[in-house]
Amino acid sequence: MVKLFFSYSHKDEALRDQLETHLAMLKNQGLIDSWHDRRIVVGSDLDDSIQGSLEAADVVLLLVSSDFLASTYCYSKEMARAMEKHQAGEAHVIPVILRHCDWHAAPFGGLLAAPKDGKAITSWPDIDEALADVARQVRRVVEEKSARSHKQPPQLGSATQTTLQAPPASATMPSTGPRSSNLRLAKEFTQKDKDDFLRGAFEFLARFFEGSLQAIAERNPGTSFSFERIDSRRFAATLYKDGNAVAQGSARLDSMGGRGSTCIAYSHDANARDGSSNEMLHVEVTDQSLYLKPLGFSWGGRNGEKSQLSHEGGAEYLWELFIRSAQ
């Protein structure tokens, strides 16, 4: 069984939990035994427990974000030691890019990162798709290690005795008896958590539309745009080609009618009235995280592949509705 170690910032715990769920099949198949610091039992020495598990790890997942890079412990202790083990052939380090950050200049910047092309997980329209891609890449590494260990069984003799020598007492986990690794509890989200998440999504959406319009105008001669932040709850955008409007839309924070909650309402009309929309994004929850879900008006209700969206995923979804008339 391959021992897998999560190195991460606690600010990214929700994403770590989601990734661990996507790795459950490897665990169910008996291929991995995963560990992170939430498995430390009460009364244990934190540093000894973490370093002991890191020393025993065959695969180290670096869950990379700006908070990870800013963490002295993650960067200077866990990552530094993981890279030493990687370079010595004692472990395989996989950088998993959670959120956009300046990670290419880090010591692990030359390693092949997951998910595909090192594209940050939160930038994928569907976070589950990104996490599934990470799980597939981890599986390849784990299966390769498992196959290699089966092909090269340890031989009897002094070399074996050296290889199997117990680590120093300070590096071992305290003995606590058998226990399950399934220790996760459901998280509770308040209405304020949901409101803050939706407000953050709207602010990101406004910046996303303005930046995308500016990039189109810079790259395509003859194009121009109008972006108006009407107030803190509404914006309107229009794209022009040779002076003619080829795409327009508006978004606002609005109520969901009889649902008694707030949503992001999007319209193909830059001057849309309150209460009218072509699509809505509302907040829903899993037992571990918040996400945006479209009602599916613009896709005939077929929004299964777009059911759990991050802030950037929601922005990409609405941008696709905006830009398709110009394409």
Side-chain angles (χ1 to χ4, degrees):
M1 186 177 291
V2 173
K3 294 184 181 297
L4 187 147
F5 180 94
F6 288 91
S7 177
Y8 72 105
S9 163
H10 283 174
K11 292 184 179 180
D12 296 315
E13 187 169 6
L15 283 170
R16 186 217 66 204
D17 286 344
Q18 292 181 67
L19 175 56
E20 190 170 19
T21 300
H22 276 265
L23 297 174
M25 184 55 68
L26 286 169
K27 177 183 173 183
N28 294 340
Q29 292 177 295
L31 292 175
I32 64 169
D33 178 22
S34 60
W35 191 92
H36 49 72
D37 63 358
R38 291 305 190 195
R39 302 227 168 123
I40 300 175
V41 297
V42 175
S44 302
D45 184 285
L46 292 175
D47 194 58
D48 282 354
S49 297
I50 293 172
Q51 293 304 313
S53 295
L54 178 55
E55 290 301 321
D58 303 301
V59 175
V60 179
L61 301 184
L62 304 179
L63 306 191
V64 182
S65 67
S66 56
D67 289 303
F68 175 88
L69 297 176
S71 168
T72 301
Y73 197 95
C74 291
Y75 192 90
S76 301
K77 289 192 174 183
E78 293 181 355
M79 184 276 291
R81 178 56 186 146
M83 289 303 298
E84 289 176 357
K85 286 170 62 66
H86 182 89
Q87 292 162 3
E90 299 171 358
H92 192 104
V93 172
I94 303 176
V96 179
I97 313 304
L98 300 183
R99 297 185 278 124
H100 288 298
C101 57
D102 183 20
W103 62 273
H104 292 281
F108 55 82
L111 302 181
L112 182 63
K116 184 179 179 182
D117 299 326
K119 181 179 178 181
I121 286 175
T122 55
S123 70
W124 289 57
D126 188 333
I127 286 181
D128 277 325
E129 182 181 359
L131 293 169
D133 184 81
V134 174
R136 285 191 291 270
Q137 296 196 48
V138 172
R139 173 178 289 278
R140 284 197 289 268
V141 173
V142 167
E143 290 181 341
E144 181 182 336
K145 281 187 168 293
S146 297
R148 190 159 54 239
S149 65
H150 285 129
K151 290 179 181 179
Q152 299 177 352
Q155 298 179 354
L156 296 176
S158 59
T160 302
Q161 294 172 0
T162 301
T163 302
L164 300 181
Q165 200 171 35
S170 62
T172 61
M173 287 288 292
S175 177
T176 60
R179 64 175 175 84
S180 172
S181 61
N182 183 13
L183 305 175
R184 185 178 66 183
L185 298 178
K187 297 181 180 179
E188 296 184 0
F189 297 98
T190 66
Q191 187 59 51
K192 185 178 186 305
D193 293 330
K194 297 176 184 178
D195 291 345
D196 289 346
F197 184 83
L198 188 67
R199 166 63 69 176
F202 182 78
E203 293 299 327
F204 182 90
L205 177 66
R207 297 195 305 270
F208 187 94
F209 262 64
E210 186 174 18
S212 299
L213 287 166
Q214 184 174 353
I216 283 184
E218 291 172 351
R219 299 183 184 188
N220 297 274
T223 61
S224 59
F225 69 93
S226 169
F227 179 85
E228 182 182 6
R229 186 66 187 263
I230 300 170
D231 55 39
S232 64
R233 300 174 62 88
R234 182 192 304 260
F235 71 81
T238 304
L239 178 66
Y240 301 94
K241 176 70 174 177
D242 298 325
N244 298 311
V246 292
Q248 62 174 309
S250 60
R252 66 186 184 277
L253 289 172
D254 205 351
S255 62
M256 294 185 66
R259 292 175 179 253
S261 58
T262 305
C263 69
I264 296 175
Y266 174 80
S267 299
H268 294 307
D269 183 355
N271 300 302
R273 296 171 298 173
D274 289 348
S276 64
S277 65
N278 297 105
E279 183 58 285
M280 291 182 178
L281 298 180
H282 64 282
V283 178
E284 290 199 1
V285 302
T286 67
D287 64 346
Q288 296 295 316
S289 63
L290 297 154
Y291 64 89
L292 298 171
K293 182 174 182 178
L295 291 186
F297 296 154
S298 297
W299 299 96
R302 298 188 302 274
N303 62 338
E305 295 182 356
K306 304 176 184 295
S307 59
Q308 295 189 19
L309 305 178
S310 63
H311 285 182
E312 189 158 354
E316 283 282 11
Y317 175 64
L318 295 184
W319 175 258
E320 186 176 352
L321 301 184
F322 173 84
I323 198 64
R324 64 184 181 183
S325 64
Q327 295 177 328

